[in-house]
Amino acid sequence: MNTFHKFASLALISSVIVGCSSSPTENETETTPPISQSDRYQEERYELKHDVAPDQPISVEHIEEITPQYEPYSLGGNKNYTVRGQRYQVIKDPTGFKQTGQASWYGKKFHGHLTSNGEVYDMYSMTAAHKELPLPSYVKVTNTDNGKSTIVRVNDRGPFHPGRIIDLSYAAASKLGMLAKGTARVEVEAINPRAWQSASRAIAAPPSSDVSAARAVPTALTSGRFIQVGAYSQAGSANRVARQLSDLYGRPTKVADVERTGQTLYRVLVGPFASVNEMERMIYQLGQSGYPGAHPVDFP
């Protein structure tokens, strides 16, 4: 983590920021100056083997999941940088980003120090450090060892330890059940905040009022809760979208026509779904795939 002691001198802070966050221009040549005692101390702070949990840990059960929201990227921490001779390229667009590997966590040692984008690290907040994702970013992290998952806000750089892809705050690590072991095999998936919010609004909204206008459908169709992906004026377009979604997600799709203001529209439906959670995940996936207007409907 690119953190600094809150009592460190201004000169030390400046040297660390320049050394880890800035990127040379095309005409500049990188050099490796001798490591001073102060720089060596900062480098040693990346070694998580010296980190510890809080002296008197508090329960994190009351800490709620954070809600992804659109934020402009920070002025600090988003330039390409070099640490220990390794060059890191900051990802400009994390859309579709997925990564699997080892996760670790950091706690008391860095609590109260600055993160790479200038915020103050709080081990009881749902945050994380990543080497390449833009700051801030929101990601879903799943512990593949036990199936637990949580959402964190990436606002720091690291971990600079071989084989590790993300450093989680103490609270996030607790949510994933990995405090005792210290590390866990995880999957990291970038979240599009706008698509996430669109999906959340759709789940909270009441069923579409146009359902009552739907024509009767064959008895072979299963009753229950469905997701309406879109409504098309041409049956061919609706059938094409339905086939594409069925192939993409491996879920049943249906096309149902409805009369509206004297015009026949063909609705593409996905489902049925057994639970709200299952439906919410599908709406989010549809939003990521270019269908931000997907919303739940009742279907006979």
Side-chain angles (χ1 to χ4, degrees):
M1 271 74 346
N2 192 2
T3 53
F4 319 103
H5 195 285
K6 56 187 174 182
F7 298 116
S9 66
L10 179 60
L12 175 57
I13 293 177
S14 299
S15 65
V16 174
I17 292 176
V18 171
C20 295
S21 298
S22 64
S23 58
T25 64
E26 294 180 358
N27 296 325
E28 289 179 335
T29 301
E30 293 185 66
T31 60
T32 305
I35 300 178
S36 66
Q37 187 63 32
S38 60
D39 288 340
R40 189 181 304 278
Y41 168 74
Q42 290 296 330
E43 194 170 82
E44 287 174 353
R45 292 181 61 79
Y46 292 125
E47 296 296 338
L48 297 184
K49 62 184 180 181
H50 300 302
D51 204 356
V52 294
D55 294 331
Q56 296 180 328
I58 64 174
S59 172
V60 300
E61 295 303 318
H62 67 286
I63 300 177
E64 298 180 356
E65 296 279 353
I66 61 173
T67 300
Q69 56 185 333
Y70 170 76
E71 298 180 63
Y73 293 151
S74 305
L75 295 178
N78 280 311
K79 294 182 179 179
N80 300 332
Y81 62 99
T82 301
V83 171
R84 298 177 178 175
Q86 176 67 44
R87 187 72 171 162
Y88 296 96
Q89 301 282 336
V90 177
I91 299 171
K92 294 183 178 180
D93 182 6
T95 302
F97 177 87
K98 283 187 178 182
Q99 188 179 31
T100 57
Q102 288 289 323
S104 48
W105 62 270
Y106 60 125
K108 179 180 177 181
K109 180 178 178 181
F110 298 94
H111 186 69
H113 295 284
L114 296 181
T115 62
S116 294
N117 69 343
E119 298 175 354
V120 176
Y121 173 62
D122 178 2
M123 61 182 169
Y124 293 112
S125 63
M126 299 296 289
T127 60
H130 193 276
K131 293 186 282 290
E132 296 98 8
L133 286 171
L135 307 180
S137 293
Y138 289 88
V139 297
K140 177 182 178 182
V141 183
T142 301
N143 184 340
T144 58
D145 293 334
N146 57 23
K148 294 183 178 181
S149 64
T150 193
I151 297 172
V152 295
R153 179 174 176 269
V154 179
N155 67 344
D156 207 355
R157 289 290 172 228
F160 301 105
H161 188 288
R164 297 180 187 175
I165 63 171
I166 193 169
D167 250 345
L168 301 168
S169 67
Y170 174 83
S174 179
K175 293 278 189 181
L176 293 179
M178 54 173 284
L179 287 178
K181 187 177 178 182
T183 60
R185 180 78 176 174
V186 299
E187 178 183 74
V188 176
E189 180 180 2
I191 291 174
N192 181 321
R194 287 193 173 98
W196 183 274
Q197 290 181 345
S198 176
S200 298
R201 286 193 297 269
I203 289 297
S208 174
S209 60
D210 67 9
V211 174
S212 60
R215 292 180 178 179
V217 295
T219 56
L221 298 183
T222 306
S223 299
R225 293 280 283 173
F226 288 75
I227 294 173
Q228 179 172 317
V229 179
Y232 301 84
S233 59
Q234 299 295 323
S237 299
N239 286 322
R240 183 171 59 254
V241 171
R243 287 194 300 269
Q244 291 173 344
L245 293 177
S246 179
D247 293 339
L248 181 62
Y249 296 109
R251 286 185 173 276
T253 58
K254 310 177 189 301
V255 175
D257 57 327
V258 60
E259 291 287 339
R260 184 179 295 168
T261 63
Q263 181 184 11
T264 300
L265 295 178
Y266 300 90
R267 302 187 302 159
V268 177
L269 306 175
V270 180
F273 293 87
S275 69
V276 173
N277 289 338
E278 184 182 17
M279 179 179 288
E280 183 177 2
R281 287 193 297 270
M282 188 73 251
I283 289 178
Y284 170 67
Q285 291 175 342
L286 288 167
Q288 295 282 62
S289 299
Y291 298 95
H295 62 278
V297 296
D298 282 323
F299 195 77

